[in-house]
Amino acid sequence: MTSSELWTRATADRYDAEEAENSSATALGPALAFLAELAGDGRALEFAIGTGRVGVPLRERGVPVVGIELSEHMAAVLRRKADEDTLPVTVGDMATTVVPGGFTLVYLIYNTISNLLTQEEQVECFRNAARHLEPGGRFVIELGLPPLRSLPPGQTAVPFDVSERHLGFDTVDLVEQMLVSHHFTRDGDDGRYRRANSLHRYAWPAELDLMARIAGLELERRVADWDGAPFTQDSAKHISVWRKPA
């Protein structure tokens, strides 16, 4: 088992409801089109496939998808949507678990590489992606940038969501390169909030490029979103594509 925190049954059961807005056809459309184009006529492997928020609709587009997922509870929710023959899932960590066959696409989205809390494990994740890719295949990562430009001197916390039912803010440890996302979510109408937090190791694009080079992959392109907007110093996240040489 890696350093990734395990998702519990309770978290898995409410995940789809909490991510309903991000799971709509409108929200997912650009990501699915981006990934389907890269997969081409080959197979796709999703690291940390979760409840199948992306993998299931990508499979419905005709891309054969295989998943690796650390949490048995998350995988159980996915299994309600697609059986094993339709979308095979192996329970294991994304840094070392190996599944049979080759893939034209391996993808790891929604900031999930940051769930690996050490640089060594993140490097192994790149190596695992390269291990599964056919020559010419691509590895795709979606990752947000830490909000360091929003931190005035002496401040370590930055809000990222202030809405009626959710309060979210990040605290950043600049020395250890760690970030904690804090969530206060109102579940009902009685004014009570449920508190949760998650620990992440953030990595800069240049650091990821070095990890890719260690794994034998080459940067092909980097954009700011699934629609392909240019990546600039003001971008909040990046979609990066590395290619395994043919």
Side-chain angles (χ1 to χ4, degrees):
M1 177 178 167
T2 70
S3 59
S4 295
E5 298 175 333
L6 273 173
W7 293 72
T8 65
R9 181 186 301 275
T11 302
D13 286 343
R14 61 174 175 258
Y15 181 83
D16 284 349
E18 293 183 343
E19 293 294 332
E21 183 177 349
N22 292 324
S23 303
S24 67
T26 300
L28 280 182
L32 296 176
F34 191 105
L35 296 172
E37 180 181 0
L38 290 179
D41 296 327
R43 300 195 305 159
L45 172 61
E46 181 172 356
F47 285 172
I49 195 170
T51 65
R53 183 181 70 92
V54 174
V56 170
L58 186 61
R59 177 66 183 84
E60 292 171 350
R61 285 195 171 213
V63 178
V65 176
V66 175
I68 293 174
E69 172 54 44
L70 182 61
S71 169
E72 294 185 16
H73 302 301
M74 296 288 276
V77 175
L78 183 153
R79 195 51 68 225
R80 301 170 196 165
K81 309 171 186 177
D83 60 30
E84 180 68 15
D85 290 336
T86 302
L87 204 167
V89 175
T90 298
V91 175
D93 71 85
M94 56 189 166
T96 62
T97 301
V98 178
V99 299
F103 299 85
T104 56
L105 173 67
V106 178
Y107 64 98
L108 176 56
I109 63 175
Y110 216 33
N111 302 322
T112 311
I113 193 170
S114 68
N115 290 358
L116 296 170
L117 302 180
T118 69
Q119 186 184 69
E120 290 78 9
E121 287 174 338
Q122 291 177 354
V123 169
E124 288 306 311
C125 182
F126 272 84
R127 284 178 167 155
N128 201 29
R131 183 180 297 124
H132 286 92
L133 284 173
E134 297 175 349
R138 277 90 168 192
F139 182 34
V140 176
I141 282 182
E142 175 190 25
L143 184 61
L145 297 172
L148 303 190
R149 296 179 67 189
S150 300
L151 288 173
Q155 182 174 313
T156 60
V158 178
F160 60 84
D161 184 35
V162 179
S163 58
E164 183 179 354
R165 291 193 171 273
H166 179 254
L167 302 174
F169 62 93
D170 292 329
T171 53
V172 184
D173 184 333
L174 300 177
V175 174
E176 298 298 330
Q177 207 165 309
M178 302 296 289
L179 179 150
V180 180
S181 286
H182 304 264
H183 302 267
F184 294 83
T185 306
R186 193 167 73 182
D187 286 328
D189 296 323
D190 59 1
R192 296 183 180 181
Y193 281 79
R194 169 173 44 86
R195 179 178 181 177
N197 60 66
S198 57
L199 182 62
H200 305 268
R201 180 188 186 272
Y202 64 84
W204 299 105
E207 184 181 6
L208 297 178
D209 289 343
L210 183 56
M211 294 180 189
R213 183 180 301 179
I214 291 171
L217 304 177
E218 302 171 347
L219 180 66
E220 185 172 78
R221 61 173 158 153
R222 175 169 290 126
V223 292
D225 58 32
W226 295 109
D227 290 314
F231 178 72
T232 71
Q233 64 178 0
D234 296 318
S235 299
K237 70 174 185 179
H238 62 95
I239 316 294
S240 295
V241 181
W242 296 273
R243 183 176 180 272
K244 183 174 183 176

